[in-house]
Amino acid sequence: MKQRIVVALGGNALGNNLPEQMKAVQGTARVIAGLIADGHQVVLTHGNGPQVGMIQQAFEVAARHDPKAPHLPMSVCVALSQGYIGYDLQNALREALLELGLPTPVATLVTQVEVDKNDPAFQDPSKPIGGFFSKEEAEALMAKGERLKEDAGRGYRRVVASPKPVDIIEKETVCALLAAGQVVITAGGGGIPVLREGNHLRGASAVIDKDWASARLAELIDADLLIILTAVEKVAIRFGKPDVQWLDRLSVRDAASLIEQGHFAAGSMLPKVEAAVSFAASRPGRESLITQLEKAAEGIAGQTGTRIAL
């Protein structure tokens, strides 16, 4: 059955720097092109962890050498990362589609994601971003109102909040592009975090988890399936232990129970499972799949991966 699918690309699909990214997206594009060739309507999202850090760090270095150099707010750094990651992805995907005889247009959409100013994450920002500062440098920056925290004895780093996504501002544009038969790359890096102030959207000092943003996007554009790609073929409990158990299919209730029992690591699998549960629970008939990029087609066919549904 042909489906509308949101595919959330993991970091291994993009590499850690510019040369790695240009190489990694070639293989990524071939897999995604195969899904499109099978008749599925595909929307791509992606992370930006290494990339947004490099962008901010570059401007930090510039500011140290030139006082007139700007310090870019996190919202602008995310916007820049969307552009250059999307540039590589859309060109690689266009090429892969043409090699399959499919002249399907591919577009990258600079995407804003609304967050709630009252989200508890803003009370205690904890997501480290960019380079390290000495104690003296950190104190000077904090005196200017910036937030930094000591990072495991390695120095101080800027920290930002990681609030939950409320709305995808450009959701109608995504749907219009899909209706026109185009492939859309959107909500890159979790989207540009914005706060709604009347008719104005103000950039927030935050980063949004890309899996949570992907789940919210999938819900709002009425997708059938959310695929969260990761480094392992299936989700497991007791991962790395002799009695590891790989999970093929979970109900929303069972997955929520495993989350509550603490089976998934906060820095890796937990947000993926939580986001997958959120989408699967949003309406009957919607499902989430967590698997490796190379196994995506097999996962859609029900042959591998971890499926979560009501």
Side-chain angles (χ1 to χ4, degrees), residues 4-22:
R4 175 174 286 189
I5 303 172
V6 171
V7 180
L9 298 175
N12 59 333
L14 297 174
N16 292 308
N17 53 48
L18 284 172
E20 284 186 16
Q21 178 174 298
M22 292 185 70

Side-chain angles (χ1 to χ4, degrees), residues 228-244:
I228 298 177
L229 300 176
T230 187
V232 292
E233 188 171 341
K234 299 179 182 180
V235 177
I237 56 175
R238 299 183 295 277
F239 182 75
K241 298 180 180 179
D243 59 344
V244 61

Side-chain angles (χ1 to χ4, degrees), residues 58-81:
F59 279 89
E60 285 175 355
V61 171
R64 286 172 174 172
H65 290 83
D66 181 1
K68 295 181 181 179
H71 167 59
L72 294 190
M74 183 51 56
S75 55
V76 176
C77 292
V78 174
L80 289 171
S81 73

Side-chain angles (χ1 to χ4, degrees), residues 57-208:
Q57 195 164 0
F59 279 89
E60 285 175 355
V61 171
R64 286 172 174 172
H65 290 83
D66 181 1
K68 295 181 181 179
H71 167 59
L72 294 190
M74 183 51 56
S75 55
V76 176
C77 292
V78 174
L80 289 171
S81 73
Q82 285 187 353
Y84 97 74
I85 295 171
Y87 162 66
D88 277 347
L89 269 175
Q90 71 183 33
N91 283 342
L93 186 52
R94 174 183 175 275
E95 184 177 337
L97 287 166
L98 287 173
E99 289 174 355
L100 294 175
L102 297 172
T104 309
V106 184
T108 297
L109 180 64
V110 176
T111 313
Q112 302 172 97
V113 176
E114 181 185 355
V115 296
D116 184 354
K117 66 179 180 180
N118 296 315
D119 191 299
F122 284 111
Q123 302 304 313
D124 184 26
S126 58
K127 184 76 172 178
I129 295 291
F132 291 89
F133 295 88
S134 67
K135 184 178 181 181
E136 293 73 20
E137 290 172 323
E139 288 175 347
L141 290 170
M142 287 188 282
K144 297 178 181 179
E146 297 195 39
R147 294 192 174 188
L148 293 90
K149 287 186 177 181
E150 203 280 328
D151 189 340
R154 298 179 295 174
Y156 288 76
R157 298 177 75 187
R158 287 188 172 93
V159 290
V160 296
S162 186
K164 293 291 190 295
V166 173
D167 190 19
I168 310 295
I169 302 301
E170 288 78 19
K171 56 186 178 294
E172 291 90 355
T173 307
V174 175
C175 289
L177 288 167
L178 290 174
Q182 303 200 27
V183 180
V184 189
I185 302 166
T186 185
I192 303 165
V194 294
L195 299 168
R196 192 183 294 271
E197 298 176 344
N199 291 330
H200 178 63
L201 297 172
R202 178 170 62 86
S205 180
V207 291
I208 303 168

Side-chain angles (χ1 to χ4, degrees), residues 212-241:
W212 275 103
S214 302
R216 187 66 179 130
L217 171 71
E219 183 179 345
L220 291 171
I221 67 169
D222 196 24
D224 303 296
L225 179 66
L226 168 65
I227 303 179
I228 298 177
L229 300 176
T230 187
V232 292
E233 188 171 341
K234 299 179 182 180
V235 177
I237 56 175
R238 299 183 295 277
F239 182 75
K241 298 180 180 179

